[in-house]
């Protein structure tokens, strides 16, 4: 079997958007019967929440949808841009911070915006940060991340997104 495609999901804190992206991607790939082709992880550009569980509010939202997950926050490191085949940024700030870490064109080419895989993005470029939002903000982010990971999986499996 060929080596798995390695995908890193990145947000600011690695407690809300990127852990959900990581776990939902894994879930939809398993559902599609292609889970063994992928290795996924997530990280934050900041060090604010290292070692913490994913945010309780997002886990509660996910659980209501029948999806339970866990994890432990870590910070992104320059090596990640070599170790992963794709690095998926949740918003433009994450994207700029990742591009600043990248030293080569090969590393830069791995970095993509999550929302570019959302078929309903309608011009929006960010998975919004719901930190200061009420429950509806978390519901909205869940829907965006769910659509985006399905779009990402489809882009890779259909060959539209070239990896490696
Ligand atoms: P995340 O969300 O980047 O999706 O994990 C946030 C987590 C923490 C903070 C902001 C956003 N914060 O300000 O600490």
């Amino acid at each position: 079997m060929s080596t798995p495609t390695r995908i890193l999901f990145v947000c600011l804190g690695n407690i809300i958007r990127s852990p959900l992206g990581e776990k939902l991607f894994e879930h939809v790939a398993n559902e599609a019967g292609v889970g063994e082709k992928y290795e996924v992880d997530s990280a934050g550009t900041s060090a604010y929440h290292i070692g913490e569980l994913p945010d309780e509010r997002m886990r509660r939202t996910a659980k209501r949808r029948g999806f339970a997950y866990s994890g432990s926050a870590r910070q992104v490191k320059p090596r990640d841009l070599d170790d992963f085949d794709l690095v998926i940024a949740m918003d433009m700030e994450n994207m700029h911070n990742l591009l600043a870490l990248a030293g080569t064109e090969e590393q830069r080419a791995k970095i993509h915006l999550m929302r570019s895989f959302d078929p309903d993005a309608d011009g929006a470029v960010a998975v919004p940060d719901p930190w200061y939002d009420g429950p509806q903000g978390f519901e909205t982010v869940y829907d965006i991340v769910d659509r985006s990971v399905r779009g990402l999986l489809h882009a890779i499996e259909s060959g539209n997104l070239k990896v490696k």
Side-chain angles (χ1 to χ4, degrees), residues 11-18 48-49 129-132:
C11 61
L12 174 67
N14 192 212
I15 53 170
I16 305 180
R17 295 164 293 173
S18 64
Y48 304 153
H49 297 280
D129 169 4
W131 182 256
Y132 294 108

Side-chain angles (χ1 to χ4, degrees), residues 12-13 43 61 75 87 103 146 155 162:
L12 174 67
T61 299
Q75 189 172 23
V87 180
D146 186 53
K162 290 278 168 260

Side-chain angles (χ1 to χ4, degrees), residues 57-65 135 138-139 142:
R57 295 164 293 178
M58 187 52 93
R59 284 192 296 140
R60 217 180 300 128
T61 299
K63 204 162 179 191
R64 269 200 301 277
R65 312 285 194 102
F138 286 80
E139 297 287 338
Y142 188 94

Side-chain angles (χ1 to χ4, degrees), residues 47-129:
Y48 304 153
H49 297 280
I50 290 172
E52 290 182 22
L53 275 170
D55 188 280
E56 170 68 28
R57 295 164 293 178
M58 187 52 93
R59 284 192 296 140
R60 217 180 300 128
T61 299
K63 204 162 179 191
R64 269 200 301 277
R65 312 285 194 102
F67 185 65
Y69 67 103
S70 186
S72 173
R74 75 165 176 93
Q75 189 172 23
V76 73
K77 51 187 190 294
R79 267 277 309 267
D80 289 325
L81 294 167
D82 293 321
D83 291 346
F84 289 87
D85 303 303
L86 290 171
V87 180
I88 309 297
M90 297 297 139
D91 61 29
M92 287 305 289
E93 187 187 351
N94 309 149
M95 177 102 165
H96 285 135
N97 285 328
L98 287 165
L99 288 170
L101 276 187
T104 66
E105 190 46 47
E106 191 185 352
Q107 291 178 331
R108 276 189 284 277
K110 294 176 177 181
I111 303 168
H112 301 265
L113 271 175
M114 179 77 147
R115 211 73 203 266
S116 65
F117 303 104
D118 175 3
D120 295 345
D122 202 19
V125 294
V127 180
D129 169 4

